[in-house]
Amino acid sequence: MAVLLSTKPAAMQVWRDALLALDPALEIRMFPDAGDPAGIEAAVVWTSHDMAELRRYPNLKLIVSMGAGVDHLLRPPGPPPGIPVARLVDRMLTSQMGEWVLLNVLRFHRQDLEYRALQSARIWEELPAPVTAERRIGILGLGELGRHAAGLLRGLGFPVMGWTRRPRTMEGVETFHGAEGLAAMAARSDILICLLPLTPETRGVMNARLFGLLPPGAFVINGARGGHLVDADLLAALEAGQVAGAALDVFQPEPLPPDHPFWGHPKVIMTPHAASITIPASAAPQVVENIHRARAGQPLLNLVDFSTGY
Ligand code: NDP
C-alpha cells in the first residue's frame, strides 16, 4: 500500500526524503501520479488539496495535513466520510510562531513604529519608557501555539491573559472563555493576539465590536487565519486611533491583492503567511507514526475533531 503526497513540487521531494529516511519501506506516490487508486492507504496533503479528489481512493485510511490548521480541508465538500484527519503538532512550528509573536509584541511595546517614523524624519526624540509589567497581553486561543506564546511573554514579564472555548487553566496566565470572557479580556488587552483555529464560531471574531472593547490605542496581532479578521473594521479602527497598529501574517484572500489598503498602511506590518513554516524533517516522525498506527488500527495522533472544526 502507498502514501500519496500532495504539495508544491519542490516541497514534495523534501517530504518524500523525510518520510523515507524514517521508513525506507514506504511506497511514496507524488500527486498527480497517484497510480492505482486502490493502492493508496494514506494521503499527506497541503491545505490546497481538493478533498473531492480524495474520494477516488477506496482504501484510504488516513489524511494528514501538512500544517497545523485544517480549515481548508474541512470546508465543503470536506474529507471523504469516515476518514480521520490528523494535523501537525510540531515543535518547530510552535517555536517559529512564538518567535513571530515575540517579534511583533516587542515591536509595538518598544514603540518601533514611532521610532521608525522619527528616523525617517531625522528627528532625535526620546519617547516615554514602556513598562513591561503594565502592558497587558490577551491571547485568543491557548492551544499548542497560544500556550507557547503565552509562556514566552510571561517569561519576559508581561501580564498575560488567554481566551479559550472551554474553561482552561495555565499557571501565571489569567484565563477566560465564552462570549462574556472575550469581552472581559478584550477590555484589558493592550495587545491582542489571535492564535485561534478558523471555525464557523471564530470567523470574523476580530471585528468592530471587539476593537471597540479594547483600551484605546491597543495593538492587534493576527497569526492565525485571514478569516478571523474583518479587514474594513480594522482599517476603520486604525483610522480612528482605537487600534494603534497591527501585525498580520494571514489574509483573505492569499496572496493579498496588490491594491489592498494593508500593503501601504503605515500602521500595518505584514508578512506573507510566513510566521511559521512546516519543516518536513521535523514533522515527518509523527506522520510516519500515524501511518503505522492506521495500519495497525491503533489510536491516531493529533486527530481533528470534526464536531468543533479543529
Ligand atoms: P489548537 O487546536 O492547539 O488550539 C486552538 C485553541 O483555540 C484552543 O485553546 C481552543 O480552545 C481555542 N478555540 C477554538 N475555538 C474557539 C472558540 N470558538 N472560542 C474560544 N476559543 C476557541 O491550535 P494551534 O494552537 O495548533 O493552532 C492555531 C491556529 O494557528 C491553526 O488552526 C492555524 O489556523 C494557525 N496557524 C498559523 C500559522 C501561520 O504560519 N500563520 C502556522 C500554524 C498555525 P480549547 O482550549 O477550549 O479547545
Side-chain angles (χ1 to χ4, degrees), residues 18 20 24 31 62 66 81 99 111 126 157 165 177 180-181 186 196 199 222 236 248 263 267 290 294 299 305:
L20 287 177
F31 188 79
L62 169 68
M66 290 176 178
E99 290 166 3
Q111 302 135 314
E126 186 185 280
R165 190 170 59 83
H177 69 280
E180 281 176 23
L196 290 167
T199 68
N222 187 14
L248 308 175
W263 280 106
K267 298 286 171 61
N290 260 343
D305 178 349

PDB file of all heavy atoms in Angstrom, residues 18 20 24 31 62 66 81 99 111 126 157 165 177 180-181 186 196 199 222 236 248 263 267 290 294 299 305:
ATOM      1  N   ALA A  18      12.126  12.944   3.667  1.00  0.00           N
ATOM      2  CA  ALA A  18      11.973  12.941   5.136  1.00  0.00           C
ATOM      3  C   ALA A  18      11.212  11.695   5.599  1.00  0.00           C
ATOM      4  O   ALA A  18      11.566  11.078   6.609  1.00  0.00           O
ATOM      5  CB  ALA A  18      11.245  14.205   5.582  1.00  0.00           C
ATOM      6  N   LEU A  20      10.935   8.772   3.878  1.00  0.00           N
ATOM      7  CA  LEU A  20      11.711   7.560   3.576  1.00  0.00           C
ATOM      8  C   LEU A  20      12.899   7.399   4.526  1.00  0.00           C
ATOM      9  O   LEU A  20      13.310   6.277   4.822  1.00  0.00           O
ATOM     10  CB  LEU A  20      12.195   7.592   2.122  1.00  0.00           C
ATOM     11  CG  LEU A  20      11.099   7.356   1.079  1.00  0.00           C
ATOM     12  CD1 LEU A  20      11.661   7.485  -0.334  1.00  0.00           C
ATOM     13  CD2 LEU A  20      10.454   5.976   1.271  1.00  0.00           C
ATOM     14  N   PRO A  24      12.162   3.390   5.165  1.00  0.00           N
ATOM     15  CA  PRO A  24      12.530   3.184   3.750  1.00  0.00           C
ATOM     16  C   PRO A  24      11.582   2.237   3.027  1.00  0.00           C
ATOM     17  O   PRO A  24      11.569   2.198   1.793  1.00  0.00           O
ATOM     18  CB  PRO A  24      13.940   2.570   3.837  1.00  0.00           C
ATOM     19  CG  PRO A  24      14.426   2.865   5.228  1.00  0.00           C
ATOM     20  CD  PRO A  24      13.217   2.955   6.101  1.00  0.00           C
ATOM     21  N   PHE A  31       1.491  13.211  -6.074  1.00  0.00           N
ATOM     22  CA  PHE A  31       0.349  13.711  -6.828  1.00  0.00           C
ATOM     23  C   PHE A  31       0.831  14.648  -7.941  1.00  0.00           C
ATOM     24  O   PHE A  31       1.737  15.447  -7.696  1.00  0.00           O
ATOM     25  CB  PHE A  31      -0.591  14.461  -5.869  1.00  0.00           C
ATOM     26  CG  PHE A  31      -1.886  14.870  -6.485  1.00  0.00           C
ATOM     27  CD1 PHE A  31      -2.914  13.960  -6.641  1.00  0.00           C
ATOM     28  CD2 PHE A  31      -2.073  16.173  -6.940  1.00  0.00           C
ATOM     29  CE1 PHE A  31      -4.111  14.333  -7.226  1.00  0.00           C
ATOM     30  CE2 PHE A  31      -3.255  16.554  -7.537  1.00  0.00           C
ATOM     31  CZ  PHE A  31      -4.286  15.630  -7.667  1.00  0.00           C
ATOM     32  N   LEU A  62      -6.365   7.263   6.120  1.00  0.00           N
ATOM     33  CA  LEU A  62      -5.879   8.402   6.902  1.00  0.00           C
ATOM     34  C   LEU A  62      -5.536   9.569   5.988  1.00  0.00           C
ATOM     35  O   LEU A  62      -4.929   9.375   4.937  1.00  0.00           O
ATOM     36  CB  LEU A  62      -4.608   7.961   7.661  1.00  0.00           C
ATOM     37  CG  LEU A  62      -3.764   9.033   8.334  1.00  0.00           C
ATOM     38  CD1 LEU A  62      -4.524   9.644   9.507  1.00  0.00           C
ATOM     39  CD2 LEU A  62      -2.452   8.441   8.825  1.00  0.00           C
ATOM     40  N   MET A  66      -0.409  18.826   6.125  1.00  0.00           N
ATOM     41  CA  MET A  66       0.991  19.239   6.268  1.00  0.00           C
ATOM     42  C   MET A  66       1.130  20.520   7.084  1.00  0.00           C
ATOM     43  O   MET A  66       2.210  21.111   7.133  1.00  0.00           O
ATOM     44  CB  MET A  66       1.619  19.454   4.899  1.00  0.00           C
ATOM     45  CG  MET A  66       1.840  18.180   4.126  1.00  0.00           C
ATOM     46  SD  MET A  66       2.476  18.569   2.490  1.00  0.00           S
ATOM     47  CE  MET A  66       2.720  16.939   1.800  1.00  0.00           C
ATOM     48  N   PRO A  81     -16.237  10.785   3.825  1.00  0.00           N
ATOM     49  CA  PRO A  81     -16.872  10.389   5.093  1.00  0.00           C
ATOM     50  C   PRO A  81     -16.156   9.217   5.757  1.00  0.00           C
ATOM     51  O   PRO A  81     -15.740   8.266   5.088  1.00  0.00           O
ATOM     52  CB  PRO A  81     -18.283   9.979   4.662  1.00  0.00           C
ATOM     53  CG  PRO A  81     -18.494  10.640   3.344  1.00  0.00           C
ATOM     54  CD  PRO A  81     -17.160  10.784   2.697  1.00  0.00           C
ATOM     55  N   GLU A  99       8.371  32.934  18.063  1.00  0.00           N
ATOM     56  CA  GLU A  99       9.313  33.998  17.684  1.00  0.00           C
ATOM     57  C   GLU A  99       8.588  35.138  16.973  1.00  0.00           C
ATOM     58  O   GLU A  99       8.857  36.317  17.218  1.00  0.00           O
ATOM     59  CB  GLU A  99      10.396  33.427  16.753  1.00  0.00           C
ATOM     60  CG  GLU A  99      11.347  32.483  17.443  1.00  0.00           C
ATOM     61  CD  GLU A  99      12.192  31.671  16.463  1.00  0.00           C
ATOM     62  OE1 GLU A  99      12.080  31.892  15.232  1.00  0.00           O
ATOM     63  OE2 GLU A  99      12.947  30.807  16.929  1.00  0.00           O
ATOM     64  N   GLN A 111       7.749  50.675  20.892  1.00  0.00           N
ATOM     65  CA  GLN A 111       7.430  51.853  20.069  1.00  0.00           C
ATOM     66  C   GLN A 111       8.200  51.884  18.739  1.00  0.00           C
ATOM     67  O   GLN A 111       8.638  52.940  18.287  1.00  0.00           O
ATOM     68  CB  GLN A 111       7.743  53.133  20.869  1.00  0.00           C
ATOM     69  CG  GLN A 111       6.983  53.210  22.178  1.00  0.00           C
ATOM     70  CD  GLN A 111       7.874  53.640  23.338  1.00  0.00           C
ATOM     71  OE1 GLN A 111       8.978  53.125  23.491  1.00  0.00           O
ATOM     72  NE2 GLN A 111       7.402  54.566  24.136  1.00  0.00           N
ATOM     73  N   GLU A 126      13.340  61.168  22.295  1.00  0.00           N
ATOM     74  CA  GLU A 126      13.158  60.014  23.170  1.00  0.00           C
ATOM     75  C   GLU A 126      11.688  59.937  23.573  1.00  0.00           C
ATOM     76  O   GLU A 126      11.131  60.926  24.054  1.00  0.00           O
ATOM     77  CB  GLU A 126      14.043  60.216  24.398  1.00  0.00           C
ATOM     78  CG  GLU A 126      14.095  59.061  25.346  1.00  0.00           C
ATOM     79  CD  GLU A 126      14.902  59.453  26.582  1.00  0.00           C
ATOM     80  OE1 GLU A 126      16.146  59.435  26.523  1.00  0.00           O
ATOM     81  OE2 GLU A 126      14.265  59.810  27.597  1.00  0.00           O
ATOM     82  N   GLY A 157       7.959  38.960  31.415  1.00  0.00           N
ATOM     83  CA  GLY A 157       7.374  39.804  32.462  1.00  0.00           C
ATOM     84  C   GLY A 157       6.084  40.509  32.089  1.00  0.00           C
ATOM     85  O   GLY A 157       5.594  41.351  32.847  1.00  0.00           O
ATOM     86  N   ARG A 165     -12.242  28.119  24.256  1.00  0.00           N
ATOM     87  CA  ARG A 165     -13.651  27.715  24.100  1.00  0.00           C
ATOM     88  C   ARG A 165     -14.156  27.112  25.402  1.00  0.00           C
ATOM     89  O   ARG A 165     -15.202  27.482  25.902  1.00  0.00           O
ATOM     90  CB  ARG A 165     -13.750  26.711  22.940  1.00  0.00           C
ATOM     91  CG  ARG A 165     -15.160  26.374  22.508  1.00  0.00           C
ATOM     92  CD  ARG A 165     -15.140  25.565  21.214  1.00  0.00           C
ATOM     93  NE  ARG A 165     -14.398  24.328  21.356  1.00  0.00           N
ATOM     94  CZ  ARG A 165     -14.884  23.192  21.857  1.00  0.00           C
ATOM     95  NH1 ARG A 165     -16.142  23.147  22.246  1.00  0.00           N
ATOM     96  NH2 ARG A 165     -14.138  22.115  21.960  1.00  0.00           N
ATOM     97  N   HIS A 177     -13.177  32.367  29.042  1.00  0.00           N
ATOM     98  CA  HIS A 177     -13.781  31.587  27.973  1.00  0.00           C
ATOM     99  C   HIS A 177     -15.188  32.118  27.699  1.00  0.00           C
ATOM    100  O   HIS A 177     -15.752  32.864  28.504  1.00  0.00           O
ATOM    101  CB  HIS A 177     -13.807  30.085  28.309  1.00  0.00           C
ATOM    102  CG  HIS A 177     -14.749  29.740  29.412  1.00  0.00           C
ATOM    103  ND1 HIS A 177     -14.438  29.918  30.742  1.00  0.00           N
ATOM    104  CD2 HIS A 177     -16.012  29.260  29.381  1.00  0.00           C
ATOM    105  CE1 HIS A 177     -15.458  29.541  31.488  1.00  0.00           C
ATOM    106  NE2 HIS A 177     -16.433  29.150  30.690  1.00  0.00           N
ATOM    107  N   GLU A 180     -18.757  36.186  27.174  1.00  0.00           N
ATOM    108  CA  GLU A 180     -18.511  37.168  28.256  1.00  0.00           C
ATOM    109  C   GLU A 180     -17.033  37.258  28.570  1.00  0.00           C
ATOM    110  O   GLU A 180     -16.500  38.336  28.832  1.00  0.00           O
ATOM    111  CB  GLU A 180     -19.269  36.751  29.516  1.00  0.00           C
ATOM    112  CG  GLU A 180     -20.729  37.110  29.461  1.00  0.00           C
ATOM    113  CD  GLU A 180     -21.480  36.607  30.684  1.00  0.00           C
ATOM    114  OE1 GLU A 180     -20.843  36.377  31.729  1.00  0.00           O
ATOM    115  OE2 GLU A 180     -22.700  36.449  30.566  1.00  0.00           O
ATOM    116  N   GLY A 181     -16.368  36.115  28.548  1.00  0.00           N
ATOM    117  CA  GLY A 181     -14.926  36.082  28.812  1.00  0.00           C
ATOM    118  C   GLY A 181     -14.162  36.877  27.771  1.00  0.00           C
ATOM    119  O   GLY A 181     -13.202  37.578  28.089  1.00  0.00           O
ATOM    120  N   ALA A 186     -10.838  41.393  26.399  1.00  0.00           N
ATOM    121  CA  ALA A 186     -10.544  42.445  25.417  1.00  0.00           C
ATOM    122  C   ALA A 186     -10.421  43.807  26.096  1.00  0.00           C
ATOM    123  O   ALA A 186      -9.545  44.612  25.755  1.00  0.00           O
ATOM    124  CB  ALA A 186     -11.630  42.480  24.345  1.00  0.00           C
ATOM    125  N   LEU A 196      -6.160  31.457  17.050  1.00  0.00           N
ATOM    126  CA  LEU A 196      -7.316  30.552  17.043  1.00  0.00           C
ATOM    127  C   LEU A 196      -7.331  29.721  15.766  1.00  0.00           C
ATOM    128  O   LEU A 196      -6.850  30.180  14.730  1.00  0.00           O
ATOM    129  CB  LEU A 196      -8.619  31.363  17.058  1.00  0.00           C
ATOM    130  CG  LEU A 196      -8.994  32.123  18.315  1.00  0.00           C
ATOM    131  CD1 LEU A 196     -10.123  33.103  17.993  1.00  0.00           C
ATOM    132  CD2 LEU A 196      -9.395  31.161  19.428  1.00  0.00           C
ATOM    133  N   THR A 199     -12.900  28.488  12.483  1.00  0.00           N
ATOM    134  CA  THR A 199     -14.093  27.625  12.510  1.00  0.00           C
ATOM    135  C   THR A 199     -15.299  28.544  12.292  1.00  0.00           C
ATOM    136  O   THR A 199     -15.161  29.777  12.341  1.00  0.00           O
ATOM    137  CB  THR A 199     -14.232  26.929  13.883  1.00  0.00           C
ATOM    138  OG1 THR A 199     -14.543  27.917  14.870  1.00  0.00           O
ATOM    139  CG2 THR A 199     -12.971  26.178  14.283  1.00  0.00           C
ATOM    140  N   ASN A 222      -2.365  39.232  14.280  1.00  0.00           N
ATOM    141  CA  ASN A 222      -3.072  38.042  13.778  1.00  0.00           C
ATOM    142  C   ASN A 222      -2.102  37.088  13.091  1.00  0.00           C
ATOM    143  O   ASN A 222      -1.592  37.376  12.009  1.00  0.00           O
ATOM    144  CB  ASN A 222      -4.197  38.426  12.805  1.00  0.00           C
ATOM    145  CG  ASN A 222      -5.048  37.216  12.412  1.00  0.00           C
ATOM    146  OD1 ASN A 222      -4.963  36.162  13.059  1.00  0.00           O
ATOM    147  ND2 ASN A 222      -5.853  37.366  11.374  1.00  0.00           N
ATOM    148  N   ALA A 236     -10.905  50.845   9.811  1.00  0.00           N
ATOM    149  CA  ALA A 236     -11.656  51.925  10.469  1.00  0.00           C
ATOM    150  C   ALA A 236     -11.105  52.173  11.877  1.00  0.00           C
ATOM    151  O   ALA A 236     -10.975  53.330  12.308  1.00  0.00           O
ATOM    152  CB  ALA A 236     -13.141  51.567  10.525  1.00  0.00           C
ATOM    153  N   LEU A 248       0.130  41.517  10.841  1.00  0.00           N
ATOM    154  CA  LEU A 248      -0.708  40.499  10.195  1.00  0.00           C
ATOM    155  C   LEU A 248       0.163  39.559   9.368  1.00  0.00           C
ATOM    156  O   LEU A 248       0.993  40.014   8.572  1.00  0.00           O
ATOM    157  CB  LEU A 248      -1.727  41.176   9.261  1.00  0.00           C
ATOM    158  CG  LEU A 248      -2.574  42.308   9.867  1.00  0.00           C
ATOM    159  CD1 LEU A 248      -3.442  42.955   8.781  1.00  0.00           C
ATOM    160  CD2 LEU A 248      -3.434  41.799  11.014  1.00  0.00           C
ATOM    161  N   TRP A 263      -1.337  46.932   2.288  1.00  0.00           N
ATOM    162  CA  TRP A 263       0.040  46.942   1.767  1.00  0.00           C
ATOM    163  C   TRP A 263       0.790  48.232   2.111  1.00  0.00           C
ATOM    164  O   TRP A 263       1.938  48.181   2.546  1.00  0.00           O
ATOM    165  CB  TRP A 263       0.039  46.764   0.238  1.00  0.00           C
ATOM    166  CG  TRP A 263      -0.128  45.357  -0.230  1.00  0.00           C
ATOM    167  CD1 TRP A 263      -1.249  44.828  -0.788  1.00  0.00           C
ATOM    168  CD2 TRP A 263       0.832  44.294  -0.200  1.00  0.00           C
ATOM    169  NE1 TRP A 263      -1.042  43.499  -1.109  1.00  0.00           N
ATOM    170  CE2 TRP A 263       0.223  43.148  -0.765  1.00  0.00           C
ATOM    171  CE3 TRP A 263       2.157  44.198   0.230  1.00  0.00           C
ATOM    172  CZ2 TRP A 263       0.892  41.922  -0.902  1.00  0.00           C
ATOM    173  CZ3 TRP A 263       2.815  42.981   0.096  1.00  0.00           C
ATOM    174  CH2 TRP A 263       2.187  41.870  -0.458  1.00  0.00           C
ATOM    175  N   LYS A 267       0.547  51.846   9.583  1.00  0.00           N
ATOM    176  CA  LYS A 267       0.353  51.208  10.897  1.00  0.00           C
ATOM    177  C   LYS A 267       0.185  49.690  10.783  1.00  0.00           C
ATOM    178  O   LYS A 267      -0.167  49.040  11.759  1.00  0.00           O
ATOM    179  CB  LYS A 267      -0.883  51.808  11.593  1.00  0.00           C
ATOM    180  CG  LYS A 267      -0.774  53.295  11.870  1.00  0.00           C
ATOM    181  CD  LYS A 267       0.169  53.535  13.031  1.00  0.00           C
ATOM    182  CE  LYS A 267       0.509  54.993  13.256  1.00  0.00           C
ATOM    183  NZ  LYS A 267      -0.610  55.837  13.550  1.00  0.00           N
ATOM    184  N   ASN A 290       1.797   7.943  12.533  1.00  0.00           N
ATOM    185  CA  ASN A 290       0.360   7.834  12.262  1.00  0.00           C
ATOM    186  C   ASN A 290       0.052   6.830  11.151  1.00  0.00           C
ATOM    187  O   ASN A 290      -0.962   6.129  11.209  1.00  0.00           O
ATOM    188  CB  ASN A 290      -0.229   9.210  11.914  1.00  0.00           C
ATOM    189  CG  ASN A 290      -0.945   9.831  13.107  1.00  0.00           C
ATOM    190  OD1 ASN A 290      -1.280   9.132  14.071  1.00  0.00           O
ATOM    191  ND2 ASN A 290      -1.190  11.126  13.049  1.00  0.00           N
ATOM    192  N   ALA A 294      -2.303   3.736  11.741  1.00  0.00           N
ATOM    193  CA  ALA A 294      -3.500   3.498  10.921  1.00  0.00           C
ATOM    194  C   ALA A 294      -3.504   2.057  10.400  1.00  0.00           C
ATOM    195  O   ALA A 294      -4.542   1.388  10.384  1.00  0.00           O
ATOM    196  CB  ALA A 294      -3.549   4.497   9.762  1.00  0.00           C
ATOM    197  N   PRO A 299      -4.971   3.941  17.974  1.00  0.00           N
ATOM    198  CA  PRO A 299      -5.415   5.344  18.053  1.00  0.00           C
ATOM    199  C   PRO A 299      -4.400   6.277  17.377  1.00  0.00           C
ATOM    200  O   PRO A 299      -3.194   6.108  17.533  1.00  0.00           O
ATOM    201  CB  PRO A 299      -5.474   5.608  19.568  1.00  0.00           C
ATOM    202  CG  PRO A 299      -5.537   4.264  20.203  1.00  0.00           C
ATOM    203  CD  PRO A 299      -4.844   3.305  19.282  1.00  0.00           C
ATOM    204  N   ASP A 305     -11.074  17.077  15.441  1.00  0.00           N
ATOM    205  CA  ASP A 305     -12.436  16.784  15.906  1.00  0.00           C
ATOM    206  C   ASP A 305     -13.401  17.484  14.947  1.00  0.00           C
ATOM    207  O   ASP A 305     -13.509  18.710  14.943  1.00  0.00           O
ATOM    208  CB  ASP A 305     -12.575  17.335  17.347  1.00  0.00           C
ATOM    209  CG  ASP A 305     -13.984  17.119  17.903  1.00  0.00           C
ATOM    210  OD1 ASP A 305     -14.894  16.753  17.129  1.00  0.00           O
ATOM    211  OD2 ASP A 305     -14.158  17.350  19.105  1.00  0.00           O
TER     212      ASP A 305
END
